């Protein structure tokens, strides 16, 4: 990440610093919400209450819980004892003042948290205001109608974003310091791994897509996006149950940053080709202008959906393969199910490592393409070329 004094770089740096708090940590896709409702209909209100469920239903509930954000880290649970092993994260609410307390007060959704005379209940990963008994009201679709306080809690996703941001700052400030202090400007230690990646993003993504004249202005943003997504994807492959880039709120924020930078950096040629395309008959201009305007919004939308869908699908497949150990234990025996599960999981995990890099590359590449389309100068040399041919023909005649 390159630090620049230019206003655009400052805006981007500020935006990324508040990204963890802009991204609502508990935002999930509609499909995940449907899965959660299915779990609710099976009388499972939290991941610790699995009594009376089949092994398949327990696995489905665990996968849904893994894909969702939460207010604590649970490394493993003892169903027999009803104990969970992990650590809680701070809950920060704004409700008639600032309320800060540990998520352990919810006891994984099993108890009501009392803070300064106010009562809160955790239900399906969201916090609702309630009474001392924890009573919730539901509509006809079985959605809670209780009021929700403003939630700025440090959840798993927010924690991962903050941690990754700190790691990126440390790594690249270290790389920048190496360039300043080294007598031959050669990186040392782990910086030798970072330098080829930085050069790759600069020379293979930013320079060819944005152009030689303006690529330096946008390289800091592209480097930040690339390494942020890449590191978050790698963290998502660990057993910590973190699924940041599989959270559509996070991918939406990243896509919005690309959209804002693209539109605010665009030149008059870009806007001219959107609203009044040169060389096109006037009736076609009127027809094409709304389509071009719609295209301004479909581009960041495709960025958001592509990253979210691919990462979520990868996590679901990995968790499903791990579940073979439990679901097919009777058919394949414990040893056979474990062997098959480990083999398939190892295979798909290797692919997921490639996908982690590939998704960061695709998001960065498309962002650079959109920015390049907005800032490039359109020289209508073809028209001048045709005029020159016409003059030549007349001279010959």
């Amino acid at each position: 990440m390159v630090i620049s004094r230019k206003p655009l770089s400052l805006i981007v740096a500020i935006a990324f610093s508040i990204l963890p708090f802009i991204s609502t940590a508990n935002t999930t896709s509609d499909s995940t919400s449907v899965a959660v409702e299915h779990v609710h209909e099976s009388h499972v209100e939290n991941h610790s209450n699995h009594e009376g469920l089949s092994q398949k239903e327990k696995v489905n509930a665990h996968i849904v819980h893994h894909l969702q954000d939460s207010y604590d880290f649970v490394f493993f649970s003892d169903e027999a004892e009803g104990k969970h092993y992990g650590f809680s994260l701070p809950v920060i609410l704004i409700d008639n003042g600032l309320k800060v307390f540990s998520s352990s007060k919810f006891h994984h959704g099993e108890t009501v948290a009392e803070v300064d005379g106010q009562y809160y209940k955790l239900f399906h990963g969201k916090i609702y205001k309630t009474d001392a008994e924890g009573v919730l009201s539901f509509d006809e679709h079985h959605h809670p109608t209780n009021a929700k306080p403003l939630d700025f809690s440090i959840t798993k996703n927010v924690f991962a974003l903050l941690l990754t941001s700190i790691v990126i700052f440390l790594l690249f400030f270290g790389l920048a310091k190496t360039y300043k202090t080294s007598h031959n400007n050669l990186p040392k230690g782990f910086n030798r791994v970072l330098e080829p990646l930085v050069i790759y993003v600069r020379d293979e993504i930013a320079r060819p897509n944005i152009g030689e004249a303006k690529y330096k202005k946008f390289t800091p943003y592209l480097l930040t996006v690339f390494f942020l997504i890449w590191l978050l994807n790698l963290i998502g492959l660990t057993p910590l149950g973190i699924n940041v880039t599989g959270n559509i709120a996070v991918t939406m924020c990243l896509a919005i940053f690309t959209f804002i930078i693209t539109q605010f950096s665009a030149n008059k040629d870009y806007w001219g080709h959107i609203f009044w395309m040169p060389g096109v008959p006037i009736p076609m201009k009127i027809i094409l202008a709304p389509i071009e305007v719609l295209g301004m919004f479909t581009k960041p939308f495709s960025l958001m959906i592509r990253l979210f869908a691919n990462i979520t699908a990868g996590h679901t497949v990995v968790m499903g393969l791990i579940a073979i150990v439990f679901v097919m234990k009777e058919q394949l025996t414990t040893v056979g199910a474990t062997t098959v599960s480990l083999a398939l999981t190892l295979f798909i995990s290797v692919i997921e490592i490639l996908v982690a890099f590939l998704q960061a590359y695709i998001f960065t590449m498309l962002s650079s393409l959109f920015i390049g389309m907005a800032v490039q100068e359109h020289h209508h040399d073809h028209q001048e070329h045709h005029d020159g041919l016409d003059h030549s023909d007349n001279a010959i005649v």
Side-chain angles (χ1 to χ4, degrees):
M1 183 177 61
V2 181
I3 304 299
S4 172
R5 294 183 180 179
K6 296 181 179 180
L8 178 61
S9 300
L10 179 60
I11 293 173
V12 173
I14 295 174
F16 271 98
S17 66
I18 63 174
L19 172 60
F21 303 99
I22 296 177
S23 309
T24 303
N26 294 296
T27 302
T28 56
S29 65
D30 292 338
S31 60
T32 304
S33 298
V34 171
V36 172
E37 285 301 318
H38 174 72
V39 173
H40 173 79
E41 292 168 3
S42 301
H43 306 289
V44 182
E45 295 191 0
N46 56 71
H47 60 82
S48 64
N49 184 15
H50 289 164
E51 294 181 3
L53 293 180
S54 66
Q55 193 68 49
K56 184 178 179 180
E57 289 173 326
K58 290 181 181 180
V59 169
N60 288 336
H62 184 75
I63 291 176
V64 170
H65 174 71
H66 174 80
L67 294 176
Q68 281 187 302
D69 196 8
S70 66
Y71 294 89
D72 51 23
F73 281 92
V74 178
F75 301 125
F76 60 93
S77 302
D78 187 341
E79 293 185 15
E81 296 289 336
K83 294 181 179 179
H84 311 281
Y85 298 90
F87 62 90
S88 302
L89 295 170
V91 176
I92 305 172
L93 304 177
I94 296 181
D95 181 35
N96 295 323
L98 183 65
K99 306 287 194 300
V100 181
F101 57 95
S102 173
S103 62
S104 60
K105 282 196 171 187
F106 292 119
H107 196 64
H108 309 285
E110 298 172 4
T111 59
V112 177
E114 189 274 327
V115 183
D116 298 335
Q118 302 291 327
Y119 298 93
Y120 304 98
K121 183 175 179 61
L122 182 62
F123 184 79
H124 288 331
K126 295 181 181 179
I127 297 176
Y128 297 90
K129 293 186 65 175
T130 182
D131 54 20
E133 286 74 31
V135 177
L136 293 176
S137 302
F138 298 92
D139 58 17
E140 61 275 12
H141 301 292
H142 206 77
H143 295 153
T145 58
N146 295 54
K148 291 190 293 185
L150 288 177
D151 191 354
F152 294 90
S153 304
I154 307 298
T155 61
K156 287 197 302 185
N157 286 353
V158 175
F159 178 82
L161 279 166
L162 293 173
L163 179 63
T164 304
S165 300
I166 293 172
V167 170
I168 291 176
F169 272 106
L170 292 178
L171 289 177
F172 285 94
F173 274 120
L175 181 60
K177 184 178 179 180
T178 298
Y179 286 131
K180 290 181 179 180
T181 58
S182 177
H183 64 280
N184 53 6
N185 288 332
L186 293 178
K188 300 177 181 179
F190 188 74
N191 292 327
R192 293 182 180 179
V193 178
L194 295 178
E195 186 185 46
L197 293 173
V198 173
I199 294 175
Y200 180 82
V201 172
R202 184 194 68 185
D203 294 345
E204 302 298 329
I205 298 179
R207 182 174 286 173
N209 293 320
I210 299 177
E212 197 70 33
K214 297 184 178 180
Y215 80 93
K216 291 183 179 179
K217 179 180 180 181
F218 302 99
T219 299
Y221 171 70
L222 297 177
L223 283 171
T224 305
V225 167
F226 176 83
F227 282 97
L228 180 69
I229 296 175
W230 184 44
L231 291 177
L232 287 174
N233 288 345
L234 291 179
I235 291 176
L237 297 177
T238 63
L240 296 177
I242 298 174
N243 184 33
V244 180
T245 46
N247 187 315
I248 199 167
V250 176
T251 59
M252 179 181 67
C253 288
L254 293 173
I256 288 174
F257 291 151
T258 295
F259 175 78
I260 292 175
I261 291 174
T262 300
Q263 307 312 318
F264 278 87
S265 303
N267 54 29
K268 62 180 182 180
D269 289 330
Y270 172 78
W271 296 112
H273 278 74
I274 289 180
F275 293 104
W276 206 250
M277 288 71 70
V280 177
I282 293 180
M284 291 302 297
K285 290 181 179 180
I286 298 175
I287 296 174
L288 292 176
I291 299 176
E292 293 292 331
V293 172
L294 181 62
M296 293 168 50
F297 298 96
T298 56
K299 290 172 183 176
F301 182 79
S302 68
L303 282 177
M304 174 185 71
I305 295 298
R306 181 181 287 106
L307 180 59
F308 160 74
N310 280 282
I311 298 302
T312 301
H315 279 256
T316 304
V317 170
V318 170
M319 295 298 294
L321 292 176
I322 294 174
I324 291 177
V325 176
F326 307 98
V327 176
M328 303 188 69
K329 182 168 58 177
E330 295 181 0
Q331 292 85 347
L332 301 177
T333 71
T334 302
V335 176
T338 303
T339 303
V340 173
S341 177
L342 287 177
L344 293 177
T345 304
L346 177 62
F347 172 74
I348 201 67
S349 295
V350 173
I351 296 178
E352 281 294 298
I353 293 174
L354 175 63
V355 170
F357 178 86
L358 187 61
Q359 290 304 314
Y361 167 79
I362 291 174
F363 193 100
T364 309
M365 172 66 75
L366 291 177
S367 295
S368 66
L369 281 172
F370 299 154
I371 294 172
M373 293 167 60
V375 301
Q376 66 181 343
E377 300 292 339
H378 298 273
H379 301 289
H380 304 290
D381 295 333
H382 61 282
Q383 185 62 43
E384 297 175 0
H385 178 67
H386 287 303
D387 293 341
L389 290 178
D390 292 340
H391 288 304
S392 300
D393 291 341
N394 291 333
I396 292 174
V397 172

